[in-house]
Amino acid sequence: MDELAGYRAEIDQIDGELVALFQRRMEVVSQVAAYKRERGMEVLQPQREQQVLDKAEALLTDKSLAPAVRQLFETLMAVSRSLQHEALGDDQVLPQVQQWKASPRVVYPGAEGAFSEQAALDFFGQEAAPKALTTFEKAAAAVKAGQADYAVLPIENSTAGSVEETYRLLGVYGLSIVGEQLVRVRHHLLGLPGSKLEDIRQVRSHPQAIAQCHGFLLTHPRMAAVAGINTALCARMVAETGDASAAAIASLRSARQYGLTVLSQDIQDLRYNVTRFIVAAAAPIQVSGADKATIMFCLDNKAGQLARVLTALGRQGMNLTKLESRPIPDTPWAYTFYADIQWTRDRRALYRALEEAGRDAREMRLLGLYQAARKEDEG
């Protein structure tokens, strides 16, 4: 037997001993789970886990292995927690704080004809009669104050990216995400009846819509883009001012709503242009068939922390579909992270993933548990 083969044989023997000890440890873990169930105790006991890590490190004679042994025992305890959750039958991530409203009061930012209105109608149905409020902030505040049950807000566009204002409002007002809706976005240049494309000098729209039509505006350099707070509000403004040199980038619904003419159709840069809208509520709802969650977490500026959080999510079968970071005001170079995750296993896996990931986060908040949108409705 050569030298390498001898080393491998020794490792195999040690591995056999480790497996036997692992099985013995899991048998004791099952007894611990039964003890906790009888006494209504939580699975995660942070103080106890810290003691285990400290003891394992103290037993080392080679202190250079301290980070590695801590990582080994962190993984071991994560497996232990997973088994305890299964034994306890934990199957609830969010408390069922409220039920869906039978006749909901729904608000959205903008004006009649906005893509947000389309998203609200697609999600709640034509009978919902959603109400327009002029700004994102007013829509979020109305839900927080109990003046509305749900706010439909855009959060991401497939071309222009994330809508920062919506992320900010989720934090400021402590809202929960209870649903989402995808809307196929088609942008059109709308002007007054009788106006001509070559006469347009000013184009009004939301900054996201302007960004999504960048190519069209480049080919029409005499048109100056002017940012507004909403596509439909900009269309209404064009109709009210009566200025034949002004136009708006908005939807066909806006054209019909305000009596405008389509001067140029489908001017968005990409044919497949979709906006994702969230349905926000003041409190969470445990949605039947939920398979998607949004979480918010903050980290200390330490090497490997983000990697450990993401690894914890992946270990439990979570599929990370989006990761967004936003600066924390008054704290330079510190960030709040937002993540969208989906899973194929039962909800207990999500509970375990969040518990494990939360050990490496300074703050961890579940913003919502809801059903992923399946279909893009055309605006």
Side-chain angles (χ1 to χ4, degrees):
M1 181 181 296
D2 60 27
E3 188 174 359
L4 179 59
Y7 293 148
R8 286 174 173 171
E10 187 173 359
I11 287 174
D12 288 344
Q13 180 181 349
I14 294 170
D15 286 347
E17 295 172 3
L18 286 174
V19 169
L21 289 171
F22 173 78
Q23 184 170 319
R24 179 180 167 190
R25 192 183 201 279
M26 293 304 106
E27 290 171 355
V28 177
V29 165
S30 296
Q31 296 171 6
V32 169
Y35 181 93
K36 290 179 178 178
R37 182 174 56 245
E38 291 173 0
R39 291 161 178 77
M41 296 172 63
E42 295 287 336
V43 168
L44 179 61
Q45 302 287 324
Q47 186 175 3
R48 165 60 181 166
E49 292 200 359
Q50 187 60 49
Q51 290 173 351
V52 172
L53 293 174
D54 293 342
K55 286 181 180 179
E57 183 177 341
L59 290 172
L60 286 171
T61 55
D62 182 355
K63 298 302 181 183
S64 68
L65 294 174
V69 80
R70 293 184 79 90
Q71 183 179 2
L72 171 65
F73 273 83
E74 284 173 355
T75 301
L76 187 60
M77 287 188 293
V79 173
S80 298
R81 289 196 303 274
S82 178
L83 291 178
Q84 289 184 58
H85 279 299
E86 290 179 4
L88 292 171
D90 291 339
D91 194 30
Q92 192 169 7
V93 178
L94 287 172
Q96 192 163 338
V97 177
Q98 62 177 10
Q99 302 285 342
W100 284 105
K101 303 293 184 181
S103 299
R105 298 168 297 165
V106 182
V107 295
Y108 64 90
E112 290 80 4
F115 291 107
S116 295
E117 181 190 36
Q118 181 68 55
L121 293 170
D122 291 340
F123 189 89
F124 289 101
Q126 297 295 319
E127 68 280 359
K131 179 183 178 182
L133 298 178
T134 52
T135 66
F136 286 44
E137 184 109 23
K138 287 181 179 179
V143 172
K144 183 66 175 180
Q147 298 166 353
D149 299 311
Y150 309 106
V152 177
L153 302 169
I155 196 167
E156 181 182 12
N157 177 264
S158 60
T159 302
S162 298
V163 182
E164 295 185 13
E165 179 71 356
T166 297
Y167 280 106
R168 184 185 73 83
L169 293 172
L170 286 172
V172 169
Y173 289 98
L175 302 180
S176 295
I177 302 173
V178 298
E180 70 174 11
Q181 181 68 44
L182 303 179
V183 174
R184 179 80 174 272
V185 174
R186 296 176 60 194
H187 288 307
H188 312 291
L189 187 70
L190 310 181
L192 293 173
S195 61
K196 298 179 180 179
L197 182 63
E198 56 268 24
D199 296 331
I200 301 302
R201 296 292 178 269
Q202 185 184 88
V203 179
R204 293 182 172 274
S205 198
H206 187 273
Q208 283 258 340
I210 292 172
Q212 293 162 30
C213 301
H214 178 68
F216 174 84
L217 294 172
L218 280 180
T219 61
H220 296 80
R222 291 188 296 177
M223 296 181 184
V226 179
I229 60 176
N230 182 268
T231 58
L233 283 172
C234 288
R236 188 172 74 184
M237 183 178 298
V238 168
E240 291 173 349
T241 59
D243 183 357
S245 69
I249 297 174
S251 67
L252 287 177
R253 289 172 57 83
S254 293
R256 292 191 292 266
Q257 181 72 34
Y258 302 111
L260 298 175
T261 297
V262 177
L263 301 177
S264 189
Q265 202 168 27
D266 290 321
I267 65 172
Q268 65 274 2
D269 293 339
L270 300 178
R271 187 178 65 84
Y272 187 75
N273 185 25
V274 178
T275 295
R276 182 166 67 97
F277 293 82
I278 60 166
V279 179
I285 295 173
Q286 187 135 322
V287 179
S288 176
D291 58 359
K292 187 172 182 179
T294 298
I295 61 174
M296 179 275 288
F297 58 93
C298 300
L299 303 176
D300 294 321
N301 189 15
K302 295 180 180 178
Q305 263 199 323
L306 178 59
R308 286 194 293 273
V309 168
L310 299 183
T311 298
L313 296 175
R315 186 180 290 120
Q316 295 294 340
M318 302 296 108
N319 177 32
L320 185 71
T321 60
K322 179 178 172 60
L323 181 63
E324 180 82 15
S325 64
R326 304 253 58 85
I328 299 176
D330 298 326
T331 310
W333 322 126
Y335 301 89
T336 297
F337 293 88
Y338 296 86
D340 292 342
I341 52 180
Q342 289 183 267
W343 64 93
T344 56
R345 292 155 60 180
D346 64 33
R347 201 172 294 171
R348 287 173 294 181
L350 174 65
Y351 186 95
R352 295 192 294 268
L354 295 181
E355 183 182 68
E356 183 178 348
R359 297 181 72 248
D360 282 300
R362 178 154 45 90
E363 179 184 358
M364 173 75 73
R365 179 186 165 206
L366 185 58
L367 293 180
L369 183 63
Y370 51 98
Q371 192 171 48
R374 298 293 192 272
K375 176 179 178 290
E376 301 92 8
D377 290 299
E378 190 162 312

PDB file of all heavy atoms in Angstrom, residues 68-97:
ATOM      1  N   ALA A  68     -12.742  26.916  10.865  1.00  0.00           N
ATOM      2  CA  ALA A  68     -13.266  25.729  10.200  1.00  0.00           C
ATOM      3  C   ALA A  68     -14.152  24.905  11.131  1.00  0.00           C
ATOM      4  O   ALA A  68     -15.211  24.403  10.714  1.00  0.00           O
ATOM      5  CB  ALA A  68     -12.107  24.865   9.676  1.00  0.00           C
ATOM      6  N   VAL A  69     -13.753  24.760  12.397  1.00  0.00           N
ATOM      7  CA  VAL A  69     -14.552  23.961  13.304  1.00  0.00           C
ATOM      8  C   VAL A  69     -15.859  24.667  13.640  1.00  0.00           C
ATOM      9  O   VAL A  69     -16.904  24.018  13.816  1.00  0.00           O
ATOM     10  CB  VAL A  69     -13.758  23.605  14.588  1.00  0.00           C
ATOM     11  CG1 VAL A  69     -13.732  24.766  15.581  1.00  0.00           C
ATOM     12  CG2 VAL A  69     -14.337  22.364  15.258  1.00  0.00           C
ATOM     13  N   ARG A  70     -15.845  25.997  13.690  1.00  0.00           N
ATOM     14  CA  ARG A  70     -17.089  26.740  13.917  1.00  0.00           C
ATOM     15  C   ARG A  70     -18.043  26.539  12.733  1.00  0.00           C
ATOM     16  O   ARG A  70     -19.252  26.354  12.912  1.00  0.00           O
ATOM     17  CB  ARG A  70     -16.798  28.224  14.141  1.00  0.00           C
ATOM     18  CG  ARG A  70     -16.034  28.523  15.433  1.00  0.00           C
ATOM     19  CD  ARG A  70     -15.868  30.016  15.651  1.00  0.00           C
ATOM     20  NE  ARG A  70     -17.082  30.603  16.173  1.00  0.00           N
ATOM     21  CZ  ARG A  70     -17.356  30.713  17.486  1.00  0.00           C
ATOM     22  NH1 ARG A  70     -16.510  30.257  18.387  1.00  0.00           N
ATOM     23  NH2 ARG A  70     -18.486  31.259  17.882  1.00  0.00           N
ATOM     24  N   GLN A  71     -17.496  26.582  11.519  1.00  0.00           N
ATOM     25  CA  GLN A  71     -18.325  26.358  10.337  1.00  0.00           C
ATOM     26  C   GLN A  71     -18.918  24.954  10.344  1.00  0.00           C
ATOM     27  O   GLN A  71     -20.088  24.757  10.013  1.00  0.00           O
ATOM     28  CB  GLN A  71     -17.491  26.573   9.074  1.00  0.00           C
ATOM     29  CG  GLN A  71     -18.291  26.439   7.784  1.00  0.00           C
ATOM     30  CD  GLN A  71     -17.430  26.682   6.554  1.00  0.00           C
ATOM     31  OE1 GLN A  71     -16.231  26.906   6.642  1.00  0.00           O
ATOM     32  NE2 GLN A  71     -18.059  26.618   5.389  1.00  0.00           N
ATOM     33  N   LEU A  72     -18.110  23.968  10.757  1.00  0.00           N
ATOM     34  CA  LEU A  72     -18.587  22.591  10.827  1.00  0.00           C
ATOM     35  C   LEU A  72     -19.751  22.473  11.807  1.00  0.00           C
ATOM     36  O   LEU A  72     -20.792  21.861  11.492  1.00  0.00           O
ATOM     37  CB  LEU A  72     -17.436  21.667  11.255  1.00  0.00           C
ATOM     38  CG  LEU A  72     -17.818  20.221  11.585  1.00  0.00           C
ATOM     39  CD1 LEU A  72     -18.348  19.500  10.350  1.00  0.00           C
ATOM     40  CD2 LEU A  72     -16.624  19.473  12.180  1.00  0.00           C
ATOM     41  N   PHE A  73     -19.614  23.064  12.980  1.00  0.00           N
ATOM     42  CA  PHE A  73     -20.664  22.930  13.988  1.00  0.00           C
ATOM     43  C   PHE A  73     -21.886  23.786  13.664  1.00  0.00           C
ATOM     44  O   PHE A  73     -23.007  23.441  14.044  1.00  0.00           O
ATOM     45  CB  PHE A  73     -20.102  23.246  15.381  1.00  0.00           C
ATOM     46  CG  PHE A  73     -19.480  22.048  16.046  1.00  0.00           C
ATOM     47  CD1 PHE A  73     -18.178  21.677  15.759  1.00  0.00           C
ATOM     48  CD2 PHE A  73     -20.207  21.259  16.915  1.00  0.00           C
ATOM     49  CE1 PHE A  73     -17.604  20.564  16.339  1.00  0.00           C
ATOM     50  CE2 PHE A  73     -19.652  20.141  17.510  1.00  0.00           C
ATOM     51  CZ  PHE A  73     -18.341  19.777  17.219  1.00  0.00           C
ATOM     52  N   GLU A  74     -21.689  24.913  12.972  1.00  0.00           N
ATOM     53  CA  GLU A  74     -22.845  25.694  12.514  1.00  0.00           C
ATOM     54  C   GLU A  74     -23.700  24.875  11.546  1.00  0.00           C
ATOM     55  O   GLU A  74     -24.925  24.872  11.621  1.00  0.00           O
ATOM     56  CB  GLU A  74     -22.372  26.984  11.836  1.00  0.00           C
ATOM     57  CG  GLU A  74     -21.899  28.046  12.827  1.00  0.00           C
ATOM     58  CD  GLU A  74     -21.271  29.247  12.135  1.00  0.00           C
ATOM     59  OE1 GLU A  74     -21.115  29.195  10.885  1.00  0.00           O
ATOM     60  OE2 GLU A  74     -20.928  30.227  12.827  1.00  0.00           O
ATOM     61  N   THR A  75     -23.030  24.158  10.646  1.00  0.00           N
ATOM     62  CA  THR A  75     -23.754  23.294   9.708  1.00  0.00           C
ATOM     63  C   THR A  75     -24.442  22.152  10.451  1.00  0.00           C
ATOM     64  O   THR A  75     -25.602  21.818  10.165  1.00  0.00           O
ATOM     65  CB  THR A  75     -22.782  22.713   8.655  1.00  0.00           C
ATOM     66  OG1 THR A  75     -22.160  23.787   7.964  1.00  0.00           O
ATOM     67  CG2 THR A  75     -23.528  21.820   7.662  1.00  0.00           C
ATOM     68  N   LEU A  76     -23.748  21.580  11.400  1.00  0.00           N
ATOM     69  CA  LEU A  76     -24.300  20.473  12.178  1.00  0.00           C
ATOM     70  C   LEU A  76     -25.547  20.913  12.945  1.00  0.00           C
ATOM     71  O   LEU A  76     -26.568  20.207  12.980  1.00  0.00           O
ATOM     72  CB  LEU A  76     -23.239  19.947  13.144  1.00  0.00           C
ATOM     73  CG  LEU A  76     -23.559  18.678  13.936  1.00  0.00           C
ATOM     74  CD1 LEU A  76     -23.827  17.513  12.990  1.00  0.00           C
ATOM     75  CD2 LEU A  76     -22.398  18.340  14.862  1.00  0.00           C
ATOM     76  N   MET A  77     -25.491  22.102  13.525  1.00  0.00           N
ATOM     77  CA  MET A  77     -26.642  22.586  14.287  1.00  0.00           C
ATOM     78  C   MET A  77     -27.796  22.980  13.357  1.00  0.00           C
ATOM     79  O   MET A  77     -28.964  22.878  13.734  1.00  0.00           O
ATOM     80  CB  MET A  77     -26.225  23.753  15.185  1.00  0.00           C
ATOM     81  CG  MET A  77     -25.377  23.296  16.373  1.00  0.00           C
ATOM     82  SD  MET A  77     -25.035  24.589  17.591  1.00  0.00           S
ATOM     83  CE  MET A  77     -23.974  25.677  16.648  1.00  0.00           C
ATOM     84  N   ALA A  78     -27.469  23.442  12.130  1.00  0.00           N
ATOM     85  CA  ALA A  78     -28.533  23.740  11.165  1.00  0.00           C
ATOM     86  C   ALA A  78     -29.295  22.468  10.807  1.00  0.00           C
ATOM     87  O   ALA A  78     -30.527  22.470  10.697  1.00  0.00           O
ATOM     88  CB  ALA A  78     -27.929  24.370   9.909  1.00  0.00           C
ATOM     89  N   VAL A  79     -28.580  21.370  10.617  1.00  0.00           N
ATOM     90  CA  VAL A  79     -29.216  20.083  10.342  1.00  0.00           C
ATOM     91  C   VAL A  79     -30.062  19.658  11.540  1.00  0.00           C
ATOM     92  O   VAL A  79     -31.191  19.167  11.386  1.00  0.00           O
ATOM     93  CB  VAL A  79     -28.162  19.011  10.017  1.00  0.00           C
ATOM     94  CG1 VAL A  79     -28.802  17.635   9.898  1.00  0.00           C
ATOM     95  CG2 VAL A  79     -27.436  19.360   8.725  1.00  0.00           C
ATOM     96  N   SER A  80     -29.551  19.877  12.733  1.00  0.00           N
ATOM     97  CA  SER A  80     -30.289  19.522  13.948  1.00  0.00           C
ATOM     98  C   SER A  80     -31.595  20.310  14.052  1.00  0.00           C
ATOM     99  O   SER A  80     -32.650  19.757  14.377  1.00  0.00           O
ATOM    100  CB  SER A  80     -29.423  19.784  15.190  1.00  0.00           C
ATOM    101  OG  SER A  80     -28.259  18.979  15.169  1.00  0.00           O
ATOM    102  N   ARG A  81     -31.518  21.620  13.761  1.00  0.00           N
ATOM    103  CA  ARG A  81     -32.728  22.441  13.812  1.00  0.00           C
ATOM    104  C   ARG A  81     -33.750  21.965  12.784  1.00  0.00           C
ATOM    105  O   ARG A  81     -34.958  21.940  13.049  1.00  0.00           O
ATOM    106  CB  ARG A  81     -32.389  23.909  13.567  1.00  0.00           C
ATOM    107  CG  ARG A  81     -31.649  24.584  14.701  1.00  0.00           C
ATOM    108  CD  ARG A  81     -31.699  26.101  14.562  1.00  0.00           C
ATOM    109  NE  ARG A  81     -31.156  26.561  13.294  1.00  0.00           N
ATOM    110  CZ  ARG A  81     -29.865  26.808  13.075  1.00  0.00           C
ATOM    111  NH1 ARG A  81     -28.981  26.633  14.056  1.00  0.00           N
ATOM    112  NH2 ARG A  81     -29.455  27.235  11.903  1.00  0.00           N
ATOM    113  N   SER A  82     -33.254  21.591  11.610  1.00  0.00           N
ATOM    114  CA  SER A  82     -34.153  21.116  10.555  1.00  0.00           C
ATOM    115  C   SER A  82     -34.916  19.873  11.008  1.00  0.00           C
ATOM    116  O   SER A  82     -36.133  19.769  10.820  1.00  0.00           O
ATOM    117  CB  SER A  82     -33.344  20.810   9.283  1.00  0.00           C
ATOM    118  OG  SER A  82     -34.167  20.307   8.269  1.00  0.00           O
ATOM    119  N   LEU A  83     -34.220  18.948  11.613  1.00  0.00           N
ATOM    120  CA  LEU A  83     -34.865  17.724  12.101  1.00  0.00           C
ATOM    121  C   LEU A  83     -35.861  18.036  13.218  1.00  0.00           C
ATOM    122  O   LEU A  83     -36.926  17.418  13.311  1.00  0.00           O
ATOM    123  CB  LEU A  83     -33.807  16.731  12.576  1.00  0.00           C
ATOM    124  CG  LEU A  83     -32.929  16.100  11.480  1.00  0.00           C
ATOM    125  CD1 LEU A  83     -31.891  15.188  12.099  1.00  0.00           C
ATOM    126  CD2 LEU A  83     -33.783  15.334  10.489  1.00  0.00           C
ATOM    127  N   GLN A  84     -35.512  18.985  14.087  1.00  0.00           N
ATOM    128  CA  GLN A  84     -36.426  19.356  15.161  1.00  0.00           C
ATOM    129  C   GLN A  84     -37.707  19.983  14.617  1.00  0.00           C
ATOM    130  O   GLN A  84     -38.811  19.693  15.092  1.00  0.00           O
ATOM    131  CB  GLN A  84     -35.737  20.329  16.118  1.00  0.00           C
ATOM    132  CG  GLN A  84     -34.656  19.692  16.981  1.00  0.00           C
ATOM    133  CD  GLN A  84     -34.069  20.669  17.981  1.00  0.00           C
ATOM    134  OE1 GLN A  84     -34.801  21.228  18.807  1.00  0.00           O
ATOM    135  NE2 GLN A  84     -32.775  20.895  17.904  1.00  0.00           N
ATOM    136  N   HIS A  85     -37.571  20.838  13.596  1.00  0.00           N
ATOM    137  CA  HIS A  85     -38.752  21.446  12.990  1.00  0.00           C
ATOM    138  C   HIS A  85     -39.663  20.376  12.396  1.00  0.00           C
ATOM    139  O   HIS A  85     -40.893  20.448  12.510  1.00  0.00           O
ATOM    140  CB  HIS A  85     -38.343  22.443  11.907  1.00  0.00           C
ATOM    141  CG  HIS A  85     -37.945  23.781  12.444  1.00  0.00           C
ATOM    142  ND1 HIS A  85     -38.795  24.583  13.158  1.00  0.00           N
ATOM    143  CD2 HIS A  85     -36.773  24.454  12.363  1.00  0.00           C
ATOM    144  CE1 HIS A  85     -38.171  25.696  13.494  1.00  0.00           C
ATOM    145  NE2 HIS A  85     -36.945  25.648  13.022  1.00  0.00           N
ATOM    146  N   GLU A  86     -39.074  19.390  11.744  1.00  0.00           N
ATOM    147  CA  GLU A  86     -39.876  18.312  11.163  1.00  0.00           C
ATOM    148  C   GLU A  86     -40.597  17.526  12.260  1.00  0.00           C
ATOM    149  O   GLU A  86     -41.764  17.150  12.115  1.00  0.00           O
ATOM    150  CB  GLU A  86     -38.983  17.394  10.336  1.00  0.00           C
ATOM    151  CG  GLU A  86     -38.473  18.056   9.049  1.00  0.00           C
ATOM    152  CD  GLU A  86     -37.572  17.126   8.246  1.00  0.00           C
ATOM    153  OE1 GLU A  86     -37.427  15.958   8.658  1.00  0.00           O
ATOM    154  OE2 GLU A  86     -37.022  17.579   7.229  1.00  0.00           O
ATOM    155  N   ALA A  87     -39.886  17.297  13.358  1.00  0.00           N
ATOM    156  CA  ALA A  87     -40.486  16.544  14.456  1.00  0.00           C
ATOM    157  C   ALA A  87     -41.617  17.334  15.119  1.00  0.00           C
ATOM    158  O   ALA A  87     -42.639  16.767  15.521  1.00  0.00           O
ATOM    159  CB  ALA A  87     -39.420  16.192  15.494  1.00  0.00           C
ATOM    160  N   LEU A  88     -41.429  18.656  15.196  1.00  0.00           N
ATOM    161  CA  LEU A  88     -42.430  19.489  15.843  1.00  0.00           C
ATOM    162  C   LEU A  88     -43.589  19.822  14.920  1.00  0.00           C
ATOM    163  O   LEU A  88     -44.643  20.280  15.360  1.00  0.00           O
ATOM    164  CB  LEU A  88     -41.784  20.797  16.331  1.00  0.00           C
ATOM    165  CG  LEU A  88     -40.780  20.647  17.483  1.00  0.00           C
ATOM    166  CD1 LEU A  88     -40.054  21.956  17.728  1.00  0.00           C
ATOM    167  CD2 LEU A  88     -41.491  20.203  18.753  1.00  0.00           C
ATOM    168  N   GLY A  89     -43.380  19.619  13.602  1.00  0.00           N
ATOM    169  CA  GLY A  89     -44.453  19.893  12.652  1.00  0.00           C
ATOM    170  C   GLY A  89     -44.707  21.356  12.434  1.00  0.00           C
ATOM    171  O   GLY A  89     -45.819  21.763  12.098  1.00  0.00           O
ATOM    172  N   ASP A  90     -43.679  22.205  12.596  1.00  0.00           N
ATOM    173  CA  ASP A  90     -43.852  23.633  12.356  1.00  0.00           C
ATOM    174  C   ASP A  90     -44.222  23.855  10.898  1.00  0.00           C
ATOM    175  O   ASP A  90     -43.519  23.438   9.998  1.00  0.00           O
ATOM    176  CB  ASP A  90     -42.548  24.389  12.661  1.00  0.00           C
ATOM    177  CG  ASP A  90     -42.248  24.377  14.143  1.00  0.00           C
ATOM    178  OD1 ASP A  90     -43.182  24.174  14.918  1.00  0.00           O
ATOM    179  OD2 ASP A  90     -41.074  24.551  14.509  1.00  0.00           O
ATOM    180  N   ASP A  91     -45.326  24.540  10.650  1.00  0.00           N
ATOM    181  CA  ASP A  91     -45.786  24.738   9.273  1.00  0.00           C
ATOM    182  C   ASP A  91     -46.358  26.139   9.075  1.00  0.00           C
ATOM    183  O   ASP A  91     -47.207  26.356   8.241  1.00  0.00           O
ATOM    184  CB  ASP A  91     -46.853  23.694   8.925  1.00  0.00           C
ATOM    185  CG  ASP A  91     -47.124  23.621   7.444  1.00  0.00           C
ATOM    186  OD1 ASP A  91     -46.199  23.896   6.668  1.00  0.00           O
ATOM    187  OD2 ASP A  91     -48.267  23.306   7.072  1.00  0.00           O
ATOM    188  N   GLN A  92     -45.886  27.071   9.883  1.00  0.00           N
ATOM    189  CA  GLN A  92     -46.433  28.417   9.773  1.00  0.00           C
ATOM    190  C   GLN A  92     -45.310  29.428   9.844  1.00  0.00           C
ATOM    191  O   GLN A  92     -44.549  29.471  10.792  1.00  0.00           O
ATOM    192  CB  GLN A  92     -47.426  28.694  10.897  1.00  0.00           C
ATOM    193  CG  GLN A  92     -48.229  29.955  10.667  1.00  0.00           C
ATOM    194  CD  GLN A  92     -49.376  30.073  11.635  1.00  0.00           C
ATOM    195  OE1 GLN A  92     -49.497  29.285  12.563  1.00  0.00           O
ATOM    196  NE2 GLN A  92     -50.209  31.052  11.427  1.00  0.00           N
ATOM    197  N   VAL A  93     -45.160  30.223   8.798  1.00  0.00           N
ATOM    198  CA  VAL A  93     -44.124  31.241   8.743  1.00  0.00           C
ATOM    199  C   VAL A  93     -44.662  32.583   9.207  1.00  0.00           C
ATOM    200  O   VAL A  93     -44.025  33.302   9.947  1.00  0.00           O
ATOM    201  CB  VAL A  93     -43.583  31.355   7.299  1.00  0.00           C
ATOM    202  CG1 VAL A  93     -42.536  32.445   7.198  1.00  0.00           C
ATOM    203  CG2 VAL A  93     -43.007  30.023   6.860  1.00  0.00           C
ATOM    204  N   LEU A  94     -45.845  32.909   8.770  1.00  0.00           N
ATOM    205  CA  LEU A  94     -46.485  34.166   9.147  1.00  0.00           C
ATOM    206  C   LEU A  94     -47.739  33.897   9.966  1.00  0.00           C
ATOM    207  O   LEU A  94     -48.475  32.968   9.671  1.00  0.00           O
ATOM    208  CB  LEU A  94     -46.902  34.950   7.895  1.00  0.00           C
ATOM    209  CG  LEU A  94     -45.813  35.620   7.068  1.00  0.00           C
ATOM    210  CD1 LEU A  94     -46.424  36.159   5.790  1.00  0.00           C
ATOM    211  CD2 LEU A  94     -45.158  36.732   7.842  1.00  0.00           C
ATOM    212  N   PRO A  95     -48.007  34.711  10.977  1.00  0.00           N
ATOM    213  CA  PRO A  95     -49.296  34.589  11.655  1.00  0.00           C
ATOM    214  C   PRO A  95     -50.399  35.017  10.706  1.00  0.00           C
ATOM    215  O   PRO A  95     -50.231  35.920   9.899  1.00  0.00           O
ATOM    216  CB  PRO A  95     -49.153  35.570  12.829  1.00  0.00           C
ATOM    217  CG  PRO A  95     -48.134  36.557  12.375  1.00  0.00           C
ATOM    218  CD  PRO A  95     -47.181  35.800  11.510  1.00  0.00           C
ATOM    219  N   GLN A  96     -51.542  34.377  10.781  1.00  0.00           N
ATOM    220  CA  GLN A  96     -52.663  34.753   9.922  1.00  0.00           C
ATOM    221  C   GLN A  96     -53.348  35.954  10.551  1.00  0.00           C
ATOM    222  O   GLN A  96     -54.375  35.852  11.213  1.00  0.00           O
ATOM    223  CB  GLN A  96     -53.629  33.593   9.743  1.00  0.00           C
ATOM    224  CG  GLN A  96     -54.646  33.834   8.640  1.00  0.00           C
ATOM    225  CD  GLN A  96     -55.307  32.554   8.207  1.00  0.00           C
ATOM    226  OE1 GLN A  96     -54.773  31.484   8.405  1.00  0.00           O
ATOM    227  NE2 GLN A  96     -56.472  32.670   7.608  1.00  0.00           N
ATOM    228  N   VAL A  97     -52.761  37.123  10.318  1.00  0.00           N
ATOM    229  CA  VAL A  97     -53.215  38.338  10.976  1.00  0.00           C
ATOM    230  C   VAL A  97     -54.570  38.768  10.440  1.00  0.00           C
ATOM    231  O   VAL A  97     -55.410  39.252  11.169  1.00  0.00           O
ATOM    232  CB  VAL A  97     -52.168  39.459  10.794  1.00  0.00           C
ATOM    233  CG1 VAL A  97     -52.644  40.768  11.418  1.00  0.00           C
ATOM    234  CG2 VAL A  97     -50.854  39.031  11.430  1.00  0.00           C
TER     235      VAL A  97
END
